[in-house]
Amino acid sequence: MATFSYTPDFGATMAKHPRANVVRFADGYEQRVTYGINTSPADWTLSFSMREDSEANAIDAFLTSKRGVEAFDWTPPGGTAGKYVCREWSKTL
């Protein structure tokens, strides 16, 4: 599996979106249960500013090659390596 080895700028942001089904009953009681394999997926917002054109093009080419559906290995800042999918990105020219 390919590895995304580019280092993002400082200030990366992570947001968690736990997956849970919630059933609310008439008496105010509710029941919650997680579902799926990854019950607490993380969304990362990264920036790669002030990069040489060659590096910016390489990052874009890597993500384009994955087409928003293929996973790749990546280690988040201060985190543990895992499998990630980048569903969208933008490039400023």
Side-chain angles (χ1 to χ4, degrees):
M1 180 167 291
T3 300
F4 187 79
S5 57
Y6 302 97
T7 304
D9 297 344
F10 288 106
T13 305
M14 180 199 47
K16 292 272 189 160
H17 303 281
R19 294 182 184 166
N21 281 334
V22 179
V23 177
R24 291 182 178 86
F25 299 96
D27 60 357
Y29 177 78
E30 71 178 23
Q31 185 175 15
R32 296 166 302 280
V33 63
T34 59
Y35 67 92
I37 295 173
N38 183 2
T39 59
S40 189
D43 286 339
W44 285 89
T45 302
L46 308 175
S47 295
F48 298 88
S49 58
M50 305 301 290
R51 306 297 170 121
E52 296 288 329
D53 285 343
S54 59
E55 184 177 11
N57 291 335
I59 292 169
D60 185 48
F62 179 89
L63 297 174
T64 299
S65 73
K66 301 300 169 199
R67 301 180 313 264
V69 295
E70 292 180 31
F72 52 86
D73 293 322
W74 179 62
T75 303
T80 315
K83 309 266 185 253
Y84 290 84
V85 175
C86 180
R87 300 203 192 284
E88 63 181 56
W89 63 97
S90 62
K91 181 179 173 185
T92 303
L93 302 174

